[in-house]
Amino acid sequence: MNDEDDEPDGWDLFSREVGNYGTEAFPRTFLVSTPSGGTHAYYRIPDTMRGRIKTAAHPKDPRFKVGLPVDTRLERKGYVVGAMSHTQSGDYVPVDKPEGM
């Protein structure tokens, strides 16, 4: 979630620049809502991309005051609090799971 009122959050940015959730560009996946109102979307990295994508938390982007409102966690660098977890901030609740997953 973006803390800046006048800037989009990661979900809005993905919907606008990648495509709507559930489309080929932004396919359905296992989704978890976070206590802050954000969403974790879990995807498998294609073998051809392994080692080429960096873990990042709000990477610098001149379009946004506090950086890109999207985090990536992958390849054993960083972590994501998983579904059904409970922290002092609240619960991480599954919100979508496509059939066959």
Side-chain angles (χ1 to χ4, degrees):
M1 288 299 296
N2 192 350
D3 292 332
E4 297 290 327
D5 290 337
D6 59 338
E7 294 187 353
D9 60 31
W11 190 267
D12 292 337
L13 183 67
F14 257 68
S15 297
R16 186 178 71 226
E17 296 193 15
V18 174
N20 289 323
Y21 180 70
T23 64
E24 186 176 346
F26 186 11
R28 286 182 64 202
T29 190
F30 188 66
L31 288 181
V32 174
S33 66
T34 69
S36 68
T39 305
H40 292 168
Y42 297 85
Y43 292 97
R44 178 172 289 151
I45 301 168
D47 289 338
T48 57
M49 296 303 294
R50 290 181 190 250
R52 296 179 176 209
I53 303 172
K54 305 261 186 221
T55 291
H58 296 272
K60 291 183 181 180
D61 186 308
R63 299 174 296 168
F64 305 98
K65 294 176 194 168
V66 295
L68 189 68
V70 175
D71 295 351
T72 57
R73 302 285 188 240
L74 48 120
E75 300 196 48
R76 300 184 190 112
K77 297 174 184 148
Y79 69 92
V80 172
V81 178
M84 308 303 287
S85 294
H86 175 78
T87 66
Q88 288 180 337
S89 300
D91 297 322
Y92 289 74
V93 180
V95 293
D96 193 16
K97 179 184 160 248
E99 288 183 36
M101 248 185 164

